[in-house]
DNA sequence: CTGATAGTTGATACTTACTATCAATAACTT
DNA sequence: AAGTTATTGATAGTAAGTATCAACTATCAG
């Protein structure tokens, strides 16, 4: 029902379409994030890709976020976390124990934002929403 | 209609009730944030209060966030931003140009979260929502 | 298949936003 | 007033990047 995107060639094509060059480093970063599924940090990727400079990893992640193939989220304390994007427009649930990320789409939030247009002075240019959870496996494995 | 809180004595009392000591430094930080209204950074406060150590400013801000008298938000890129809290439970609109912060309460989001309880596997332990805007004065003063 | 051109890279240093240490200090308790 | 214990602040360190800029290379015009 909900179409999945971001098979590697598509991502590369998206970068090309944006007028960017397809370098070996960018391919490696794209491949690395496609291998992952839960949340991860930029340093995780930089550590994994010994042959790619840290600065390039950060630069590429930023490009991928701009290209909507990667989401940059934040834990409750603000620690940034990346997660590959598979759905069109969506929000996230993040397990605060293990970092598992699920994407969901819901029209309630979008309807809410449209209604806000009438209440808020100014122009809405974006929003962020994250739901923090303890996932089933984390609930199961904690004694409390 | 919507009750305002956080006149300085209340905040101090709240800290006392939490078993914390009322020090001159904490009074200064509380006074400094009550003098502000839009968003500000921890460094803004640290710079303003020459007599209070940076570490103490950060520690006190964290206490105030925990005591619900201060909100820690984030700009779209993740840059943290603090804003005094005046409403009970609420969300924020943040002007991405000037940093003006408005608080709003809306039951749509909370209803949405309750409905999510049935869809999400696991236990919801928190959420974050921010609406990014360009406020009227910023819209007015830009030539575009 | 050359160059030429301009985008890209990476080592290094710097910045922002904190947090850990720990001896000195000051706030509450009695 | 004295004692106990939380708090402070200077310093150093960490996490997450960003700025610089010379060297490199993807892409393209010829
Ligand atoms: Zn996502
Ligand atoms: Zn979990
Ligand atoms: Zn608030
Ligand atoms: Zn504004």
């Amino acid at each position: 029902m909900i179409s999945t995107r971001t098979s590697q060639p598509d991502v590369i094509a998206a970068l090309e379409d944006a007028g960017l060059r397809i370098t070996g480093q960018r391919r490696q970063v794209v491949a690395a994030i496609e291998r992952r599924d839960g949340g991860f940090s930029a340093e995780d990727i930089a550590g994994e890709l010994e042959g790619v400079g840290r600065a390039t990893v950060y630069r590429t992640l930023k490009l991928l976020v701009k290209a909507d193939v990667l989401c940059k989220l934040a834990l409750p304390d603000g620690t940034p976390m990346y997660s590959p994007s598979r759905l069109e427009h969506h929000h996230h649930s993040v397990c605060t124990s293990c970092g598992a990320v699920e994407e969901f789409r819901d029209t309630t939030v979008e309807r809410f934002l449209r209604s806000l247009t009438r209440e808020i002075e100014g122009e809405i240019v974006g929003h962020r929403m994250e739901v923090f959870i303890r996932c089933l496996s984390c609930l199961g494995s904690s004694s409390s």
Side-chain angles (χ1 to χ4, degrees), chain A:
Chain A
M1 193 101 299
I2 289 168
S3 67
T4 59
R5 292 185 301 135
T6 63
S7 60
Q8 196 170 335
D10 296 349
V11 176
I12 297 297
L15 292 179
E16 261 177 337
D17 293 349
L20 299 165
R21 290 184 180 169
I22 308 309
T23 65
Q25 291 91 331
R26 286 180 179 164
R27 279 184 204 282
Q28 288 183 70
V29 173
V30 169
I33 79 159
E34 302 222 328
R35 259 180 263 128
R36 296 193 170 251
D37 211 23
F40 55 85
S41 69
E43 292 297 330
D44 288 340
I45 302 296
E48 180 183 332
L49 301 178
E50 279 300 331
V52 183
R54 262 169 35 86
T56 298
V57 169
Y58 278 98
R59 282 188 289 237
T60 306
L61 291 182
K62 188 177 260 193
L63 288 177
L64 296 177
V65 169
K66 204 172 302 176
D68 284 322
V69 299
L70 184 65
C71 297
K72 186 178 181 180
L73 341 160
L75 297 181
D77 71 350
T79 303
M81 185 176 203
Y82 295 86
S83 172
S85 171
R86 320 239 185 243
L87 305 184
E88 285 300 338
H89 178 73
H90 60 274
H91 299 288
H92 302 86
S93 69
V94 182
C95 176
T96 53
S97 295
C98 70
V101 177
E102 292 289 328
E103 303 190 330
F104 61 87
R105 211 145 52 112
D106 192 284
T107 54
T108 312
V109 177
E110 320 305 329
R111 258 187 287 125
F112 161 69
L113 285 169
R114 279 197 294 281
S115 77
L116 260 192
T117 305
R118 291 188 288 277
E119 292 176 37
I120 280 187
E121 310 215 309
E123 179 192 357
I124 295 179
V125 297
H127 65 280
R128 182 214 316 280
M129 163 145 201
E130 278 136 35
V131 177
F132 299 111
I133 64 167
R134 273 175 64 83
C135 74
L136 287 186
S137 65
C138 285
L139 281 174
S141 63
S142 81
S143 48
S144 113

